[in-house]
Amino acid sequence: MQGGAAGLAYRGRTASIGFAHGPFVRVDAGAAGERVAGTLVEEALALRNAIDVASGQIADLAASAGGEAAQILEFQVALLEDEDLIEAVFASIGEGRPADIAWRSTLDAQIADYNSAPDDYLKARSSDLADLRDRVVHILRGDQGQPLKVPSGGVVCADDLPPSRFLEIDWSGGGGLALLRGSPTSHVAMLARARGIPMVVQLGTIPDIGTTALLDGEGATLELDPNAEQVRTFEKRRDSHLKSRASARAILRRPTASWRGERIKLFINIQRVEDLEHADAQYADGIGLMRTEFLLAGRSVPDEETQFQAYDAVLRWAGQRPVTIRTFDAGGDKPVPGFTLDGEANPFLGVRGLRLCLARPEIFAVQLRALARAAIRGNLKVMFPMVTSADELEAGRKLFADIVQRLLADGIAAMLPELGIMVEVPAAALAVSSFKAAFFSIGSNDLAQYVLACDRSNGALAPLMDPLHPAVLELIARTAEHGRRAGISVSLCGDMAGDPRCLPALLNCGLRELSVNASALAQIKHTIDRLSSGGSVG
Ligand code: PEP
Ligand code: MG
């Protein structure tokens, strides 16, 4: 979907579910005028003053916002108090740069640093830094930054939007947020979810014109100047969403979900131990995917004890429930300095996931030791990502088994957990019976990217990147069918598991185990309930 005229629609990625119909408001930050530079001392004083003003503005916002928003803003205030950062800017002023240029270039370097972090969470923090950069530059250039004025219920559209700008907007009359770039893991996305503001990110290029807009946070679409028919179908979708949301929370407490008499197991995906604090997590049947890459967010690979503590904490939380931990899936869109290879021409088709771990056994061994020790503490399953051939699984298994033997020989309690693989490379789905895996988990994000030849992070390809494409569904169905015949569990942990519109197709493909973000659990359970009683996805 694309275009520049009335009635056309644009598709991005969901950051917060919900619906908004209102005036279309572009709020991109305008460039403030140039600063006339003074002496070195004047520039240094101007910088100090601008930082104080910015700190004060953010602290005021934090005080009026409270709760989670205040915590998020504290991160920004702490950054403004980072003397190392400020010293670097002073040094740059000392070299003769005006305060605004010195501040901007130092912050730009920091932002680039955050952007190259392997972890989505850290990457998303770069927009907080960009906010500080722009806020201080505007103050230095004599523009104190007027609070954003948005008409009640407006659909706000920006390139990206930092938390502090989000909090300046009065959302009490509803409205929504449409970002051309942005990320579902950004702070502003967390705030939007917490406040129930619909938000769609990575919409690509949108024309500046437009009077009214329909924002569908569920279908991840933005429709500009819609016609009467578009408004009618939008309102239908919105009404059924509102109805289903009200019943979803009640359904969450029920013990099981079932479809056509078969039990559907619903697990959650986590990235970090803190994700278990989500209020709905307790209702999950277990953890279907723990992405361990977050442990690589620091500058070096964490030691065995740090890793063991993280895995152990998750197993303790889960009790008897199964916990599936995925070994490091670095590489591709998740480079890790010192671990992944530099300069690959095509990293998505490069040495990533299990390929990389097998190429760096000294790093992999540390993770496998921690997992082998944690395995005795609960119901642990371990899976390898980005597996192409059965030999890779066997190579990983051999390394793991040798490590367990060595731990036991040293008198350290350990065991080999159940071993499974992610099915996310088309070859693995097509030759699924060649793998001696204890379980399979379908990574539909990567599977779709490789089947459809669409880089998953390229917003321009969003309309083509359709996980419901028959070719993707065919591979999912094949994998599920193999599991059913062989008596091997098959789950799906990619984003489509958390998308209610994909559920009928996934259930019809034969899947009975899904793993979703905790925030999607209620909606998915509710949707299964509706489908099983003959209703629609709604
Ligand atoms: C996937 O590819 O679907 C998946 C679950 O893993 P990730 O998104 O971490 O690559
Ligand atoms: Mg994947």
Side-chain angles (χ1 to χ4, degrees):
M1 283 191 274
Q2 56 183 290
L8 285 182
Y10 303 83
R11 174 166 286 146
R13 287 180 69 191
T14 294
S16 173
I17 290 179
F19 292 77
H21 178 187
F24 179 67
V25 194
R26 274 305 276 256
V27 298
D28 296 306
E34 284 296 303
R35 172 179 168 73
V36 182
T39 63
L40 292 189
V41 174
E42 281 166 350
E43 290 305 281
L45 284 174
L47 177 70
R48 268 283 173 220
N49 174 56
I51 289 174
D52 287 349
V53 172
S55 272
Q57 287 175 346
I58 296 172
D60 286 350
L61 273 174
S64 59
E68 187 183 21
Q71 280 173 19
I72 288 171
L73 293 173
E74 273 163 21
F75 170 79
Q76 290 195 321
V77 173
L79 282 170
L80 282 176
E81 285 166 358
D82 178 353
E83 281 303 324
D84 286 345
L85 174 77
I86 294 167
E87 282 309 319
V89 188
F90 280 148
S92 179
I93 291 174
E95 286 163 12
R97 289 186 193 87
D100 54 341
I101 306 292
W103 173 255
R104 173 174 281 282
S105 57
T106 308
L107 268 282
D108 279 345
Q110 291 259 332
I111 289 166
D113 223 29
Y114 272 73
N115 269 329
S116 66
D119 180 51
D120 278 352
Y121 178 83
L122 278 182
K123 230 179 246 163
R125 300 292 76 76
S126 67
S127 69
D128 300 343
L129 275 167
D131 177 37
L132 292 183
R133 178 195 60 198
D134 297 342
R135 195 172 276 275
V136 172
V137 165
H138 274 93
I139 296 166
L140 282 166
R141 294 180 181 175
D143 167 7
Q144 297 291 305
Q146 292 307 309
L148 285 173
K149 289 230 175 347
V150 171
S152 178
V155 174
V156 175
C157 179
D159 187 43
D160 201 353
L161 196 78
S164 60
R165 299 300 265 176
F166 174 90
L167 290 166
E168 281 169 5
I169 297 170
D170 177 6
W171 296 104
S172 58
L177 186 56
L179 298 184
L180 310 192
R181 295 188 299 119
S183 149
T185 48
S186 63
H187 271 149
V188 72
M190 289 178 208
L191 288 177
R193 285 193 288 272
R195 287 166 186 232
I197 304 297
M199 173 173 171
V200 177
V201 297
Q202 296 172 16
L203 280 157
T205 311
I206 305 275
D208 280 348
I209 47 169
T211 316
T212 55
L214 304 174
L215 186 76
D216 173 350
E218 204 164 60
T221 57
L222 172 74
E223 292 166 271
L224 288 185
D225 294 333
N227 57 37
E229 180 55 26
Q230 284 175 302
V231 172
R232 253 194 312 277
T233 56
F234 174 88
E235 283 175 350
K236 255 188 168 160
R237 295 200 305 274
R238 182 188 58 195
D239 291 349
S240 68
H241 165 79
L242 289 176
K243 269 194 226 138
S244 81
R245 203 174 58 175
S247 15
R249 290 212 50 87
I251 283 172
L252 192 57
R253 287 155 208 278
R254 294 193 202 152
T256 55
S258 73
W259 188 69
R260 294 191 182 157
E262 283 187 75
R263 166 106 204 267
I264 309 295
K265 289 190 187 159
L266 291 179
F267 301 96
I268 50 168
N269 295 347
I270 61 167
Q271 306 224 34
R272 61 196 74 238
V273 181
E274 292 77 23
D275 292 348
L276 298 171
E277 288 163 15
H278 191 288
D280 293 351
Q282 55 181 313
Y283 300 107
D285 288 311
I287 292 168
L289 167 65
M290 178 179 184
R291 291 177 164 100
T292 55
E293 298 81 62
F294 83 91
L295 289 165
L296 302 170
R299 286 286 162 245
S300 58
V301 178
D303 62 21
E304 181 184 323
E305 196 51 33
T306 308
Q307 292 194 43
F308 171 77
Q309 293 299 340
Y311 307 147
D312 186 45
V314 177
L315 286 161
R316 266 189 281 128
W317 175 89
Q320 296 306 307
R321 291 177 289 179
V323 171
T324 304
I325 298 185
R326 182 175 75 182
T327 54
F328 296 139
D329 186 18
D333 56 336
K334 305 165 198 160
V336 179
F339 186 20
T340 47
L341 308 184
D342 287 336
E344 284 188 303
N346 205 336
F348 273 122
L349 301 180
V351 185
R352 62 169 288 207
L354 182 61
R355 301 169 181 185
L356 177 66
C357 285
L358 293 175
R360 300 292 305 270
E362 75 290 0
I363 291 181
F364 197 22
V366 177
Q367 182 170 41
L368 296 180
R369 278 177 65 95
L371 287 167
R373 286 173 51 207
I376 60 163
R377 318 274 288 213
N379 188 356
L380 176 65
K381 297 155 158 229
V382 168
M383 69 177 168
F384 297 141
M386 190 71 187
V387 182
T388 308
S389 83
D391 289 349
E392 293 173 287
L393 167 61
E394 294 316 314
R397 190 197 310 277
K398 178 159 187 335
L399 267 179
F400 211 167
D402 288 349
I403 278 167
V404 172
Q405 285 311 317
R406 256 177 277 142
L407 283 166
L408 294 174
D410 291 343
I412 299 170
M415 66 181 270
L416 189 66
E418 275 193 5
L419 278 187
I421 63 163
M422 297 277 297
V423 176
E424 53 186 351
V425 174
L430 288 164
V432 66
S433 61
S434 66
F435 293 93
K436 292 197 176 61
F439 62 94
F440 297 103
S441 183
I442 301 172
S444 52
N445 304 336
D446 276 312
L447 188 63
Q449 125 161 303
Y450 294 124
V451 171
L452 303 170
C454 289
D455 176 345
R456 59 190 271 185
S457 51
N458 187 340
L461 298 174
L464 263 185
M465 184 67 176
D466 176 13
L468 292 173
H469 189 291
V472 180
L473 293 180
E474 168 75 26
L475 293 184
I476 292 173
R478 266 179 100 112
T479 308
E481 174 63 16
H482 169 70
R484 194 168 276 260
R485 279 173 196 239
I488 301 172
S489 123
V490 177
S491 64
L492 186 141
C493 61
D495 288 347
M496 68 189 297
D499 183 342
R501 292 162 314 151
C502 295
L503 267 189
L506 295 180
L507 295 170
N508 280 319
C509 280
L511 286 171
R512 299 294 178 263
E513 296 180 30
L514 301 169
S515 193
V516 303
N517 291 332
S519 57
L521 203 59
Q523 182 74 29
I524 292 302
K525 200 162 181 176
H526 179 50
T527 307
I528 294 170
D529 201 66
R530 287 178 75 116
L531 291 169
S532 60
S533 52
S536 62
V537 170

